[in-house]
Amino acid sequence: MAESNCTQTTEFSLTEFTDNTVAQVTLFLMFLVTVLGNLGMIALIRVSPQLHSPMYYFLGNLAFVDLCSSTIITPKMLVDFISEKKGITYAGCVAQVFIFDLFGMTECFLLAMMAYDRYMAICHPLVYPLVMSPKCCFQLVTGSYLVGLTNGMGQTIGMSNLSFCGSSVIDLFFCDISPLISLSTSDTTLSHIILRTSASLFGVSSSLVVLVSYVAIISTILNISSAEGKRKAFSTCASHLTAVSIFYGTSLFMYLKPSSDSSRKGDKWTAVFYTVVTPMLNPLIYSLRNKEVKEALRR
């Protein structure tokens, strides 16, 4: 009865990540690098014929996803640095949850598809052009976006079933489903089921694709007789392996670990890492470690 008589929250207050001016300026510069880096990567792949291959087709979509996921979170955080009222409407919060979860899960599967691409290129080079055809690459990328859309819709449905009649302060600098569940005054069973199922089914399954692909890749590389051959084979997937380690490590830690009050500050730093740092690092990793990208930049 008390639940039915409560006044539903129409606006949430966000917690400022930091009040340190140097840190705020650093985050602003990182966001600029993220936008310019990912836009530059997309443009470079489009205008460079030598980058019109499956690997860079996936990388272009990864840059687009990083750009979208970053711009839905970081600008709001930067505005809150100079704003006295650090709030977001319920509709805005729903939009953040939907878009961020959509592109977050899409990135999981794009990284998995890129691992599969490297597996085919190194372990089955003779059939690589046939298997990784433009049609197949388009289907793999489309499937990644559809999985992301499914995840975003699932989390949004879970949030729509929650009531917020008590505190409206989100202990994070953006709307994420986990702190919203903790804030709800209604039964959160369905939301917990959706969150855990999504993280386990989609996140773990894409992680397994990456793991199995790299086990096969490493096994194949170790069987190469020449040291130069091993170095060249490993160099083709070193950038992707670095990006995968950063993204999956922080994401799985954030969503699959047991929650506790003592870890909230660490959660904020982890959230900054995968919402601000990772989208910035991906284009830098591929541009600095990839020979073909560096040659395209020089041209």
Side-chain angles (χ1 to χ4, degrees), residues 11-275:
E11 186 175 9
F12 295 100
S13 297
L14 300 173
T15 303
E16 186 176 48
F17 172 67
T18 179
D19 57 2
N20 183 281
T21 304
V22 175
Q24 292 175 352
V25 173
T26 302
L27 289 170
F28 174 72
L29 294 175
M30 289 171 65
F31 177 65
L32 286 182
V33 173
T34 299
V35 173
L36 295 176
N38 284 291
L39 284 176
M41 184 63 71
I42 294 170
L44 183 66
I45 291 171
R46 279 186 169 273
V47 302
S48 303
Q50 68 269 32
L51 299 183
H52 292 175
S53 64
M55 176 180 174
Y56 296 104
Y57 177 68
F58 291 122
L59 179 56
N61 280 276
L62 180 66
F64 172 74
V65 167
D66 279 336
L67 183 65
C68 292
S69 61
S70 179
T71 51
I72 195 62
I73 300 297
T74 312
K76 173 61 178 170
M77 178 182 67
L78 296 176
V79 170
D80 285 345
F81 286 158
I82 58 176
S83 175
E84 292 184 5
K85 186 179 181 181
K86 300 168 178 59
I88 185 171
T89 64
Y90 179 84
C93 197
V94 171
Q96 269 198 347
V97 169
F98 173 73
I99 298 175
F100 182 70
D101 286 336
L102 187 162
F103 287 113
M105 192 57 69
T106 300
E107 181 158 357
C108 277
F109 274 81
L110 280 176
L111 289 170
M113 296 307 101
M114 292 173 75
Y116 176 71
D117 171 73
R118 292 299 84 204
Y119 160 75
M120 291 302 304
I122 294 174
C123 301
H124 304 284
L126 297 179
V127 297
Y128 176 76
L130 179 64
V131 175
M132 300 304 294
S133 63
K135 180 180 179 181
C136 178
C137 291
F138 174 78
Q139 291 173 339
L140 291 174
V141 168
T142 302
S144 298
Y145 282 107
L146 289 176
V147 171
L149 179 62
T150 301
N151 180 61
M153 291 179 63
Q155 302 300 352
T156 305
I157 291 172
M159 181 178 172
S160 67
N161 289 325
L162 299 177
S163 297
F164 303 95
C165 306
S167 173
S168 60
V169 179
I170 299 175
D171 193 22
L172 201 61
F173 55 89
F174 70 99
C175 287
D176 193 20
I177 191 64
S178 295
L180 285 168
I181 291 174
S182 301
L183 200 63
S184 175
T185 55
S186 60
D187 183 11
T188 60
T189 303
L190 176 61
S191 296
H192 275 296
I193 291 175
I194 293 175
L195 178 62
R196 295 297 180 181
T197 301
S198 175
S200 301
L201 180 62
F202 294 146
V204 175
S205 63
S206 59
S207 302
L208 285 175
V209 172
V210 174
L211 179 62
V212 172
S213 296
Y214 273 103
V215 167
I217 288 171
I218 293 172
S219 177
T220 300
I221 291 175
L222 291 176
N223 288 328
I224 298 175
S225 55
S226 68
E228 180 65 16
K230 290 181 179 179
R231 187 191 65 80
K232 287 183 177 180
F234 182 75
S235 66
T236 63
C237 54
S239 299
H240 176 257
L241 187 58
T242 303
V244 163
S245 301
I246 294 172
F247 180 82
Y248 278 96
T250 54
S251 298
L252 293 178
F253 172 80
M254 186 69 180
Y255 289 106
L256 293 184
K257 69 175 183 60
S259 59
S260 63
D261 293 337
S262 61
S263 65
R264 286 179 180 175
K265 186 62 178 178
D267 288 351
K268 292 178 183 179
W269 280 103
T270 305
V272 166
F273 204 85
Y274 73 75
T275 57

